[in-house]
Amino acid sequence: MSTIGFGAWAIGGMHWGKTDDEVSIQALHGAIDQGVTLIDTADVYGFGHSEELIAKVIKERGKENLVIATKAGSDFYHADPEDDDGYGAITPNYSKEYLISAAEKSLKRLNVEALDILQLHSPELNILERDDPWLALEKLKKDGKIKHAGLSIKSFEESKQAHLLDLHHDILDCIQVRYNLLEREAEDVLFPKALEHGIGVIVRISLLFGLLTGKFDRNSSFGKDDHRRMNLSAERLNDYLSELELQDSLFTRFKNQSKTQVSLRFSITHPACQTAIPGAKTAHQVQENCSSSDLGPIHD
């Protein structure tokens, strides 16, 4: 699997500002042309649209060597307007029946016989303490509907949810985790457990919603249809940029590389981390992301 993958949230056409499907498809083709073998999506990205775009690319060029990872549990099929927390009408649903039906819908949208990886989509711990999510993954595996099972660890609960790897390492093949130069809690408990149990790690938010590319400052703002209006609010942006200034020596050490390249190299340096999935909406962004893979991890 390539050390740099393709995060397909932004191309879904929701929550990242304006997108163009043709540009998104070109970005996907460009990623594959440059050796990307992992594309990470979710059924909720664009309410199915991200998966549909990926299916178009697969139809155009085949699926050989490609691993498509998707997610389920964010129910947009049965949600009401009052369930909208700024991401559209979505409600958590991790019942066994729902997860199986959601997987079936993803299979149809992606037009594949089996999902390479199905991940539980960042549920709260109390949901993961129930049997249903795990029974669903077990049945989907047994029935040949999914090849591998994963868990997307909820952001900022990297230590709180780490014990789940002890409990469910028999079903879990991989986890996905928020991890980047400024957010490193996963190193404390989660990564050691992943290494202990031989569970692969997919790194998300490796560029912190674009902040680690160096293109934002304290005056940056985001449109209404851009989740960064919340996740990189003025207060958060100020705090993150203050932390980022403390990393100047690292970027100076690799002054011939962009901040994007250095940040992505960091995200695949820990021995537990197999691959990072920075988001991209254009072929140019893909090219810079993929160039980081050739540079390899950062060593002392």
Side-chain angles (χ1 to χ4, degrees):
M1 188 182 297
S2 57
T3 54
I4 300 296
F6 185 102
W9 180 8
I11 67 169
M14 296 169 62
H15 314 133
W16 284 86
K18 185 178 180 181
T19 59
D20 181 309
D21 284 354
E22 287 306 312
V23 173
S24 297
I25 287 173
Q26 289 171 16
L28 283 165
H29 277 297
I32 299 168
D33 289 341
Q34 293 182 65
V36 165
T37 59
L38 173 67
I39 299 174
D40 178 85
T41 186
D43 58 0
V44 74
Y45 294 167
F47 290 5
H49 192 56
S50 176
E51 290 181 333
E52 290 166 351
L53 289 178
I54 293 166
K56 285 185 178 180
V57 172
I58 292 173
K59 185 177 181 180
E60 289 174 8
R61 67 185 300 159
K63 192 176 172 294
E64 186 178 5
N65 298 325
L66 274 182
V67 174
I68 310 299
T70 193
K71 309 179 194 74
S74 297
D75 184 357
F76 57 96
Y77 303 104
H78 308 103
D80 296 317
E82 56 264 30
D83 296 315
D84 188 349
D85 288 327
Y87 293 96
I90 304 166
T91 185
N93 192 341
Y94 291 87
S95 71
K96 180 180 177 182
E97 294 74 15
Y98 172 75
L99 289 171
I100 291 172
S101 69
E104 294 280 4
K105 291 181 174 69
S106 287
L107 283 167
K108 289 179 181 177
R109 276 193 296 268
L110 288 165
N111 194 26
V112 293
E113 293 183 1
L115 300 174
D116 294 320
I117 304 174
L118 179 67
Q119 303 157 99
L120 303 175
H121 200 169
S122 305
E124 300 279 358
L125 180 59
N126 66 310
I127 291 173
L128 293 167
E129 289 173 336
R130 304 169 191 166
D131 291 335
D132 263 26
W134 309 103
L135 291 173
L137 291 177
E138 186 176 34
K139 179 166 177 54
L140 285 163
K141 254 191 177 182
K142 182 179 179 182
D143 292 348
K145 300 294 178 66
I146 67 173
K147 297 177 183 177
H148 300 93
L151 166 63
S152 182
I153 302 288
K154 187 173 178 62
S155 291
F156 310 116
E157 294 193 5
E158 292 82 11
S159 294
K160 187 177 178 181
Q161 295 193 0
H163 70 286
L164 295 167
L165 277 63
D166 294 327
L167 297 175
H168 300 289
H169 60 86
D170 55 334
I171 188 71
L172 281 176
D173 300 296
C174 62
I175 56 172
Q176 186 176 130
V177 59
R178 181 176 184 137
Y179 178 64
N180 55 63
L181 192 57
L182 302 184
E183 298 176 323
R184 302 175 59 173
E185 184 184 335
E187 296 174 357
D188 296 340
V189 184
L190 188 64
F191 284 173
K193 286 190 180 294
L195 287 170
E196 177 187 351
H197 294 298
I199 295 172
V201 174
I202 300 170
V203 176
R204 74 174 185 272
I205 315 182
S206 47
L207 292 175
L208 195 46
F209 308 126
L211 181 133
L212 295 179
T213 66
K215 64 182 179 182
F216 301 148
D217 59 32
R218 286 175 172 81
N219 297 316
S220 297
S221 60
F222 306 95
K224 291 183 179 180
D225 186 26
D226 193 323
H227 75 94
R228 291 173 293 187
R229 188 170 182 148
M230 297 179 290
N231 287 316
L232 290 180
S233 63
E235 183 179 358
R236 288 186 179 185
L237 193 59
N238 181 67
D239 290 343
Y240 278 132
L241 288 170
S242 296
E243 291 180 46
L244 187 58
E245 288 165 1
L246 301 177
Q247 302 296 330
D248 281 347
S249 61
L250 177 63
F251 294 119
T252 301
R253 179 179 161 196
F254 300 102
K255 59 185 177 181
N256 294 324
Q257 298 172 24
S258 68
K259 286 189 174 181
T260 297
Q261 291 172 320
V262 175
S263 298
L264 286 176
R265 289 183 66 198
F266 171 83
S267 71
I268 56 171
T269 295
H270 193 286
C273 301
Q274 277 73 48
T275 184
I277 49 168
K281 294 193 287 187
T282 69
H284 174 74
Q285 291 171 337
V286 165
Q287 185 175 9
E288 186 170 20
N289 291 346
C290 290
S291 68
S292 310
S293 182
D294 297 330
L295 297 169
I298 293 173
H299 298 293
D300 294 331

